[in-house]
Amino acid sequence: MVLHIKNMVCDRCVMVVRQQLEQRGISIMDITLGRVKIVQDLDEQQLLDLGASLQLLGFELIDKEKDRLVEQIRNIIITSIHHPETSDQANINYSTRLAAQLNRDYSYLSRLFSEHENRTIEKFIIQQKVEKVKELLQYGEMNINEIALQMGYSSSGHLSTQFKNVVGVSPSVYKQESTAGRQPLDRI
C-alpha cells in the first residue's frame, strides 16, 4: 500500500512520519518525501487514526489523485532547489524535469498546480529559490554573485530583483538585518 502525505518536505519530516508509522507497528518498505510504501494494507479506522496523528504534526494524508500529483510537483521542486543532486542549478529546466518525472504533459501539470495552489509553478519555484537564497545568505559563506550562479540566476541583479519582489528588501539589507526569518518549506 502506498500512502501520500502532504507537507512531508524534508529529512526531518521523513523521520517524524517514520516514527509515527513505527509506533503503530506499520512496516515500511520505502519512504521518500511525500510518499510511504508500507507492507500491509490499512483498514479505514487505521487510516483515520494515522491521518489524525499526522495532522497534529502538520502533515496530511492525501487520498485524491490530483492532490497527490500537486504534492509530487511540490516535492520535486523542493528537492531540486534545497537538496540538489549537483551544485549546478543553472541547467535545471523545471518544466522538462516535472514532465519527465511525473510522465505527464507539462501544460496539464501547470494548469493543475495553478488551480490547486492559486499560484503558478513559476511563482512557487521563485519562492523556494528565495528561501534557499535566505539560507545561503545567513551562512555567510558566499557572496551574492556566487549565490546567483549557484541558484541558476542569469545575474546577481536578476536574483536581487526577484528577492526584493518576494521579501520586500534587497539581499544585502536582508543579510544585515539578520532578524528577518526564513519560512518553513511546507508553508511556502
Side-chain angles (χ1 to χ4, degrees):
M1 176 176 207
V2 177
L3 303 172
H4 295 275
I5 303 172
K6 186 173 183 172
N7 298 330
M8 191 172 151
V9 297
C10 66
D11 291 338
R12 276 189 222 97
C13 297
V14 170
M15 181 183 70
V16 169
V17 170
R18 179 185 300 276
Q19 288 172 347
Q20 288 296 307
L21 293 169
E22 288 172 351
Q23 286 175 358
R24 288 174 168 62
I26 299 171
S27 301
I28 301 167
M29 294 172 62
D30 184 45
I31 185 166
T32 58
L33 297 180
R35 184 177 174 276
V36 182
K37 189 172 185 181
I38 60 174
V39 175
Q40 67 269 36
D41 286 337
L42 302 179
D43 63 32
E44 191 66 31
Q45 188 59 48
Q46 289 172 310
L47 283 171
L48 288 172
D49 292 343
L50 177 61
S53 70
L54 290 174
Q55 193 166 28
L56 289 173
L57 297 168
F59 303 105
E60 182 181 333
L61 282 175
I62 303 171
D63 60 355
K64 297 178 193 161
E65 179 63 30
K66 288 182 178 181
D67 291 341
R68 277 184 270 186
L69 198 51
V70 168
E71 191 63 18
Q72 287 175 313
I73 292 167
R74 291 173 52 86
N75 288 333
I76 290 168
I77 292 167
I78 289 169
T79 300
S80 297
I81 292 171
H82 296 277
H83 311 288
E85 295 169 8
T86 67
S87 61
D88 179 23
Q89 291 193 0
N91 297 323
I92 293 177
N93 182 317
Y94 291 98
S95 58
T96 302
R97 178 173 284 185
L98 289 167
Q101 286 188 351
L102 298 173
N103 199 25
R104 304 283 178 115
D105 180 63
Y106 179 75
S107 61
Y108 169 74
L109 296 174
S110 178
R111 195 169 42 256
L112 175 66
F113 189 89
S114 293
E115 289 169 3
H116 192 275
E117 295 286 307
N118 295 318
R119 62 182 158 183
T120 64
I121 288 176
E122 180 184 7
K123 285 190 186 264
F124 182 71
I125 291 168
I126 290 168
Q127 290 169 323
Q128 290 296 328
K129 282 182 150 187
V130 165
E131 287 306 312
K132 182 65 176 182
V133 169
K134 286 180 183 179
E135 177 184 335
L136 295 172
L137 286 169
Q138 287 180 341
Y139 291 159
E141 296 175 359
M142 292 188 276
N143 65 39
I144 193 71
N145 290 327
E146 292 168 327
I147 293 172
L149 181 64
Q150 179 177 327
M151 295 304 298
Y153 285 95
S154 58
S155 68
S156 59
H158 183 216
L159 179 147
S160 294
T161 300
Q162 277 193 348
F163 191 93
K164 189 170 184 177
N165 286 341
V166 173
V167 180
V169 297
S170 69
S172 57
V173 170
Y174 176 85
K175 187 174 181 177
Q176 289 171 351
E177 291 179 349
S178 76
T179 58
R182 292 172 30 210
Q183 296 289 321
L185 299 182
D186 62 338
R187 301 222 194 280
I188 296 174

